Amino acid sequence: MRLLLVLAVAAPLAAQSHYPKHNFTIGAGIGLPGAQLTPAFANSGGFSVSYGYRFQRNLQADFGLDTLFGAAGVRDYLATQLGYLRIRDFQYLMPFGGRAILPLAEGRVLLSAGGGGAYMRYSERLKQPSSYFRVECPDCGSRSGWGTYALGGVSFALDRFQVFRIGFTAKAYRGHTDGDALGAVPAVETLDRWLNLFGNFSIHF
């Protein structure tokens, strides 16, 4: 009888302490440039991928990549033996840090906030004519630097086991980049800011 009583009390507590440790997320949305990137850079669409390891019920370590397309407005062409190949620009923001998580409604809703460091790289890339060989792009420039980020987000479980979720994340980046001129940004160090707003789909297990 005592054993049954102990099991009856322990079972709900174990269920409450259980949480998925691995979180894979993909997202799509828009990046809004700020600080010295305006008005040289424009709002642009992009996507994100990230992995989070939830080492405690309320704490998670994060690593990810946000990719934006054409914010600098580069629309150049490189003359090659294969004809004119298009040059476009891409922005890569790689955050690494952590977040605090507040579960609500027995974990069906997760609120989160956090931040950390970020590597920022903007580069011009040549559209390759084939996947079997590459054409070098001597005219393609790049800029890079380091910064920080802060985020806030919310996600909602789609199933009873809380494996699949949809949600929304806002990330604010601040840092400095230096390197080649890119679009209307000159070849000097600049103070850069981004506000990335992404809708997300994630898998937790």
Side-chain angles (χ1 to χ4, degrees), residues 32 41 74 76-77 79 83 90 92 97 111 114-115 121 127 135 143 151 154 164-165 180 190-191 193:
L32 312 176
F41 278 28
V74 175
D76 293 335
Y77 290 86
F90 298 84
Y92 305 99
L111 300 179
R121 181 175 177 82
K127 183 177 181 180
V135 177
R143 302 174 58 81
L151 69 79
V154 59
F164 303 103
R165 292 180 171 272
D180 302 320
T190 57
L191 171 63
R193 291 181 180 171

Side-chain angles (χ1 to χ4, degrees), residues 78-87 124-140:
L78 178 68
T80 71
Q81 294 179 343
L82 301 174
Y84 286 91
L85 300 180
R86 189 174 185 179
I87 299 174
E124 296 174 327
R125 293 176 54 186
L126 189 67
K127 183 177 181 180
Q128 298 296 327
S130 170
S131 58
Y132 297 102
F133 63 93
R134 295 184 59 83
V135 177
E136 295 296 326
C137 183
D139 296 340
C140 293

Side-chain angles (χ1 to χ4, degrees), residues 1-66:
M1 189 66 180
R2 290 181 179 178
L3 179 59
L4 292 176
L5 181 60
V6 170
L7 291 175
V9 174
L13 294 176
Q16 291 175 9
S17 62
H18 172 74
Y19 55 90
K21 290 184 169 58
H22 303 282
N23 170 16
F24 291 91
T25 302
I26 58 173
I30 188 171
L32 312 176
Q36 291 179 287
L37 293 182
T38 55
F41 278 28
N43 300 345
S44 62
F47 70 89
S48 67
V49 294
S50 65
Y51 168 73
Y53 180 72
R54 196 170 168 187
F55 56 90
Q56 290 185 10
R57 182 174 178 80
N58 300 106
L59 294 174
Q60 176 175 292
D62 290 319
F63 309 90
L65 170 65
D66 293 356

Side-chain angles (χ1 to χ4, degrees), residues 27-33 42-48 66-72 75 88-93 194-198:
I30 188 171
L32 312 176
N43 300 345
S44 62
F47 70 89
S48 67
D66 293 356
T67 302
L68 304 174
F69 307 101
R75 298 292 186 272
R88 296 194 62 182
D89 63 284
F90 298 84
Q91 291 70 44
Y92 305 99
L93 306 172
W194 292 94
L195 176 61
N196 291 355
L197 307 174
F198 288 94

